[in-house]
Amino acid sequence: MSKMSLFFGVLLAFISVYFVFWGFGYVESSSKFIFLIAAVFGIFMAFNIGGNDVANSFGTSVGSGTLTLTQALMVAAIFEVSGAVLAGGEVTSTIKSGIVNLSSLHGVSSMDFVYIMMSALMAASVWLLIATKQGWPVSTTHAIVGAIVGSSLTLGFILESPDVTALSLVKWSQIAKIAFSWILSPLLGGLVSFFVYKNIKKYILNYNTIAEHKISKIKKAKKKFKKEYKERFDKLSDMEKVEKTEAMNRDIYTMKDINYDPEDLDSEYFKKMHELDKKKEDLKSHHALEKGIPAIAAIGVAVISSMLIFKGLKNVDSGLSSLNKYLIIAMISALTWMAMFIFAKTLRRSDLSKSTFLMFSWLQVFTAAGFAFSHGSNDIANAVGPFAAIIDALSTGQINAKANVPPIIMITFAIALISGLWFIGKEVISTVGTKLTKMHPASGFSAELSAASVVMIASILGLPVSSTHILIGAVLGIGVVNAQTNWKLMKPIMLAWVITLPAAATLSSIGFLIFRAVL
C-alpha cells in the first residue's frame, strides 16, 4: 500500500469513527443503531460520488497531462472540501428535486421516511460502485433520484388507498425531464465543445503548427548558409580572410545598437543572417499566443467565475448585488487577460508547442479547480440531502421539508468524496481522459469550458441537463474535431445512463423492504 493510500485510508477511518460518536450524541439513544447504518451508507455514497463524479470532472485534466493523479487529488481535496464546507449550505431539501410527494400518502411514519432515505443511499451507492468499477461515468443525481423513487413507490404500494395510488406519488414530468436529459445534455455539451475546440484548433493550434514548420525551414536555411559560408571562407586567401573578419567585427559593433540600420551592415554573413531573422520575425509566430490565448482565457475565466459566483456560492449570503457580482467577474477576466498576455510575452523565445501546452495547462488547472468547488458545493447534496433528512427525522420524529446540516456532516462527506477519488476513481478518469479520445491541455480546457458554459446557460433557462452527461458530450465533441472518437465505448456508457434510474430504483425498493421488515 502506498503512503497516499495509507494516509487517506487512515483519514477516512478516523473521521468516520469520530462522526459516528458525534452522531450518537446528536440522536436519541433508541436511534443509535439506525444512525450507525445510515452513517455507513451516507459515507459510502459520498465515497462513490468521489470515485465517479469527481473522477469524471478531473478526467480531462489527468488525461491531457496537465495534472498527475496525485496533483488532481490535491486540487480536488482543497476545492471539493472548500466548496462543500463553505458553500454547501446549512439547509438542504430532504426530498431530492421534489421528485416524490409523500405528504399525500396516509399513514407515513417518520421511520418509513428514514427507511426510504437509507435504502436510497444504499442503492445509489451500490449502483455507483458498479458503474465506477466498469469505468462508466454516470449521473449521481439520477442515481439518488431513481433510488428515492424506487423506495417511495414501494411504500406507496404498501399504503395504497382508493384515494391515493402509488404511481400518483411520483412527479412523472420530472422523470420525463431526466430521460430527455440523456439526449439533450451530451448533445449540447458536444455542440458547444465542437465549436469552441474547432476554432481554438484552427486559429491557435494549427496557426502554431504552420508557424513552427516555417521556423524550422528558416533554421535549416540558417544552418545551411553557415556551413556553405564556412566552406567558402576556408578557401579564401589570408588577405581576404582578414577583410571578411574585419567587416564582420564592424557589423558586430554596429548590431550592439538595437536600433541599427540593416543598410549599415558590411559583411555578407550578417546581411544574410539579418534577412533570415527578418523572415522569422515577419511570421509573427507568437501572435496566437499573445492575442488568441489571453482572449480565450478572459472568456473562460468569466464563465468559470460566473459558475462559481452564481452556482457554486448560491447557498452563501454574500450581500453582493447582481451588479457587484458582474463587476467582480469583469475584474477577474481583465486581470486574467493581462496576466496571460504578459505570460505569453515572456515565452517569445520558447518553443511554440511547449508554450501552447504550458499556457493551456494553467487555464485547465483553473477550470478544474472551479469545477471542483462548484461540484463540492452542489453535488455533495446527493449524499448529504438524504442523510440530513434521516438524522432530522430521527432527532425530531417528524418529516420536514428542510433539514439543517451540521458542518461535521459536510467535512466527513467531503473527506469521503476525495478518498473515493483516490481509491476507485482511476477507471473513470481513464475513460474520460484517454479512452474516449486523446486529450491535450487545449482540448481539455475546451471540454471543461464548454461544459461549464452549458451548465450555466441550462441553469438560467431551466433546461433539464446533467453536468456529467454534458462533460462526456464535450469530450465527444473534441473527438469529432480530431476524428478520434471511441464510439464503441460510448455504447455501454449510454446504456449505463439509461439503466441508472431503474437500477437504483430496483435496488432501493429491495433495500426498503428489508429495512422495514428487520429494523
Side-chain angles (χ1 to χ4, degrees), residues 5 58 61 88 104 108 163 201 237 282-283 292 304 321 346 376 389 404 501-502:
S5 296
F58 279 90
S61 299
S104 62
V108 180
D163 299 331
K201 187 174 183 180
S237 66
D282 290 342
L283 288 177
I304 298 298
S321 66
T346 65
N404 290 321
L501 218 65

Side-chain angles (χ1 to χ4, degrees), residues 162-418:
D163 299 331
V164 182
T165 62
L167 294 177
S168 67
L169 298 177
V170 181
K171 296 181 180 179
W172 294 104
S173 60
Q174 296 291 330
I175 301 297
K177 286 182 179 180
I178 289 175
F180 184 52
S181 77
W182 295 335
I183 300 172
L184 183 64
S185 297
L187 182 62
L188 289 176
L191 288 174
V192 175
S193 177
F194 178 87
F195 173 78
V196 170
Y197 182 61
K198 191 174 181 65
N199 282 281
I200 286 178
K201 187 174 183 180
K202 179 180 179 180
Y203 293 108
I204 296 178
L205 301 184
N206 289 349
Y207 179 94
N208 289 349
T209 300
I210 294 170
E212 279 189 318
H213 177 68
K214 291 179 177 178
I215 289 172
S216 178
K217 288 177 69 175
I218 291 172
K219 286 181 178 178
K220 287 179 180 178
K222 271 187 170 184
K223 189 175 181 180
K224 182 181 178 183
F225 172 72
K226 286 179 181 179
K227 183 180 179 182
E228 290 175 348
Y229 185 84
K230 186 178 183 303
E231 289 175 353
R232 292 200 308 270
F233 185 84
D234 290 340
K235 294 176 182 179
L236 296 175
S237 66
D238 291 342
M239 186 61 71
E240 289 174 322
K241 286 181 180 179
V242 170
E243 291 177 359
K244 293 282 186 183
T245 303
E246 287 179 349
M248 291 174 69
N249 287 334
R250 287 195 300 272
D251 287 347
I252 291 173
Y253 181 79
T254 300
M255 288 187 295
K256 286 182 179 180
D257 182 358
I258 58 173
N259 297 315
Y260 74 92
D261 186 348
E263 295 295 328
D264 294 336
L265 295 176
D266 293 332
S267 66
E268 175 196 357
Y269 179 83
F270 282 115
K271 283 183 178 180
K272 183 64 177 178
M273 294 301 288
H274 174 79
E275 180 188 327
L276 292 172
D277 286 339
K278 186 69 168 61
K279 278 186 178 181
K280 183 179 177 181
E281 188 179 327
D282 290 342
L283 288 177
K284 296 182 179 179
S285 57
H286 279 69
H287 178 78
L289 260 61
E290 294 177 8
K291 303 294 182 183
I293 295 182
I296 293 169
I299 296 171
V301 166
V303 172
I304 298 298
S305 299
S306 300
M307 186 174 72
L308 287 175
I309 292 173
F310 291 108
K311 188 173 172 64
L313 296 172
K314 68 180 181 181
N315 296 321
V316 177
D317 184 13
S318 63
L320 297 172
S321 66
S322 294
L323 177 60
N324 295 149
K325 292 176 180 178
Y326 286 124
L327 287 173
I328 290 172
I329 293 168
M331 287 190 294
I332 294 173
S333 296
L335 287 171
T336 301
W337 180 88
M338 286 188 289
M340 294 304 288
F341 179 75
I342 294 169
F343 187 29
K345 287 280 190 182
T346 65
L347 297 173
R348 272 196 167 185
R349 296 187 178 279
S350 302
D351 179 83
L352 269 177
S353 294
K354 291 180 180 178
S355 298
T356 305
F357 187 97
L358 186 61
M359 292 186 76
F360 274 113
S361 292
W362 276 107
L363 291 177
Q364 197 178 13
V365 168
F366 182 85
T367 54
F371 255 111
F373 186 89
S374 183
H375 183 273
S377 64
N378 287 280
D379 287 3
I380 199 172
N382 291 324
V384 170
F387 183 80
I390 291 171
I391 62 170
D392 182 69
L394 290 177
S395 59
T396 65
Q398 297 178 340
I399 302 174
N400 300 309
K402 300 283 184 178
N404 290 321
V405 183
I408 184 61
I409 297 179
M410 286 296 188
I411 294 171
T412 303
F413 281 34
I415 290 174
L417 201 79
I418 59 173

Side-chain angles (χ1 to χ4, degrees), residues 101-110 112-113 116 152-166 168-169 399 512 516:
N101 182 20
L102 291 177
S103 60
S104 62
L105 194 64
H106 302 297
V108 180
S109 67
S110 60
D112 283 330
F113 182 70
I116 285 174
S152 298
L153 277 176
T154 304
L155 178 63
F157 282 119
I158 293 172
L159 301 179
E160 196 171 41
S161 66
D163 299 331
V164 182
T165 62
S168 67
L169 298 177
I399 302 174
F512 176 78
R516 200 168 191 263

